[in-house]
Amino acid sequence: MKFKTIYILFNAVILISFGFIFLMPLLLLGSDYFTLFVSKNWIAGVLFLVTLIIINGYFLGNWKLFRLLENEDWHGLIRMLEQRVYQKGRMRRGSIKMLINAYVVTSSVNKISGLESHLREKKPTLLKIYALQFGIPYLLKMKDDPKSAETYFGRAAELKSVPHRDWLRWSYASSLLLQRQFEAAKVTLLELLDSDPDPVLELLTVHGLSFFANVDPELAERVERERRSLVGRYTSERWDKKIESNSRHIQIVLFNGIIRDAKQWLFDQTADTSENPPEAEKTVH
């Protein structure tokens, strides 16, 4: 449904509903009681009209923004938001989030780094709020420049009350693995696993730790225990739904291949175990 139609219907429904409630005493009880009713409840009527004016003012003030979103005019949206942020200095949360998303949709990811630099100078508090989103350029070039990713995600993960800390820590561990800093990566992944992350991130963490299992028997036992726990909680179909429901995280989109590999590892290991039971179990049967 077109935005303009929704706007008109919204106002029509609100005004008709209010008119019906406000005029009902006149229709049912006559003009004398209606006059008394109005004299006692006029403040409610004024408050309603003021609220309606404020809501309409918000919609009209952002009319261009809503039309650009409706038409999926991402380049036009970027131009408008960049004017707000860079020229007018209106660095509001909603504008920053939409601008980052528009950069991603139009494959203008390099501009996210410029926005990060601008906010670091003008409004650094927003960097913490959108630390995960500002990490997108570092994720995309992590293979070529893992050191920059390590610096960014390591610093971001240590910020106080930063949103999505677990995903930042996992990204930090990934940058360490690419630099072959295996011991530091293992410590970070173990700390992440101990923090009870969401299931998708738990799967990625256990899968990452499995690469250290061959040289660490104690860790191998824990990896197997965690793997069995994940298999017991989720079927293959439920994993697919879980991954889909987490697609709001940019890491899910960027590392979809790694996530699918981790899921395959999870159930392939289960199949191998069932086909080749331990010697003790073979003896019993």
Side-chain angles (χ1 to χ4, degrees):
M1 187 180 291
K2 295 293 185 180
F3 169 72
K4 185 177 181 180
T5 303
I6 294 174
Y7 174 76
I8 293 173
L9 286 175
F10 169 79
N11 277 279
V13 170
I14 293 297
L15 288 172
I16 291 172
S17 300
F18 176 77
F20 176 77
I21 294 172
F22 201 73
L23 296 176
M24 187 168 57
L26 176 62
L27 299 175
L28 296 179
L29 302 174
S31 58
D32 292 339
Y33 182 80
F34 177 71
T35 303
L36 178 63
F37 175 80
V38 170
S39 66
K40 291 182 176 294
N41 296 279
W42 66 271
I43 295 179
V46 171
L47 289 175
F48 170 81
L49 291 175
V50 170
T51 302
L52 189 62
I53 290 171
I54 292 173
I55 293 174
N56 276 273
Y58 171 78
F59 277 109
L60 292 173
N62 291 279
W63 190 272
K64 183 179 179 181
L65 172 66
F66 294 135
R67 291 303 300 271
L68 289 170
L69 288 171
E70 180 183 57
N71 297 327
E72 297 184 2
D73 183 359
W74 306 119
H75 292 287
L77 180 65
I78 287 173
R79 287 192 295 271
M80 190 192 77
L81 292 175
E82 284 181 339
Q83 185 179 41
R84 283 187 181 182
V85 173
Y86 290 109
Q87 298 179 19
K88 298 181 180 179
R90 293 165 57 185
M91 290 167 280
R92 298 173 181 172
R93 293 187 183 186
S95 296
I96 299 301
K97 185 176 182 179
M98 278 191 289
L99 186 53
I100 294 173
N101 291 336
Y103 284 151
V104 173
V105 169
T106 58
S107 300
S108 305
V109 178
N110 59 308
K111 290 188 175 183
I112 296 177
S113 298
L115 181 60
E116 178 198 352
S117 300
H118 182 73
L119 291 181
R120 194 174 297 280
E121 178 184 353
K122 300 295 184 180
K123 199 166 184 178
T125 53
L126 288 179
L127 291 176
K128 181 176 74 172
I129 296 172
Y130 297 112
L132 190 67
Q133 290 87 340
F134 280 118
I136 294 172
Y138 299 96
L139 290 174
L140 291 175
K141 62 181 182 181
M142 186 182 287
K143 287 186 177 180
D144 299 323
D145 188 8
K147 185 62 181 177
S148 294
E150 176 196 352
T151 301
Y152 176 81
F153 289 111
R155 182 189 302 161
E158 294 302 318
L159 293 173
K160 185 178 180 181
S161 302
V162 65
H164 312 298
R165 185 187 304 277
D166 287 347
W167 281 103
L168 294 168
R169 292 168 72 186
W170 180 80
S171 301
Y172 173 65
S174 298
S175 70
L176 294 174
L177 284 171
L178 286 172
Q179 297 178 84
R180 305 182 69 82
Q181 297 183 39
F182 297 126
E183 190 60 32
K186 183 173 73 171
V187 170
T188 302
L189 289 172
L190 283 170
E191 291 175 349
L192 180 55
L193 189 59
D194 290 336
S195 68
D196 191 26
D198 71 68
V200 175
L201 193 51
E202 183 181 358
L203 170 61
L204 287 172
T205 304
V206 174
H207 181 239
L209 287 169
S210 69
F211 294 105
F212 302 101
N214 292 334
V215 295
D216 189 336
E218 185 178 342
L219 178 60
E221 290 182 8
R222 180 168 186 187
V223 167
E224 179 60 16
R225 186 168 63 251
E226 297 288 348
R227 187 193 64 77
R228 288 180 180 274
S229 173
L230 288 170
V231 171
R233 281 184 281 158
Y234 299 98
T235 63
S236 179
E237 292 74 17
R238 286 191 66 194
W239 270 117
D240 290 335
K241 292 180 180 179
K242 203 71 179 175
I243 292 169
E244 182 67 26
S245 67
N246 276 265
S247 59
R248 66 185 180 278
H249 293 303
I250 190 63
Q251 272 83 346
I252 297 290
V253 178
L254 296 179
F255 293 111
N256 183 65
I258 296 176
I259 294 170
R260 298 297 173 183
D261 288 344
K263 179 199 166 189
Q264 183 176 355
W265 164 82
L266 183 69
F267 290 101
D268 283 352
Q269 290 291 109
T270 302
D272 291 343
T273 302
S274 61
E275 292 172 5
N276 300 289
E279 292 300 322
E281 295 180 8
K282 291 180 182 179
T283 304
V284 172
H285 295 292

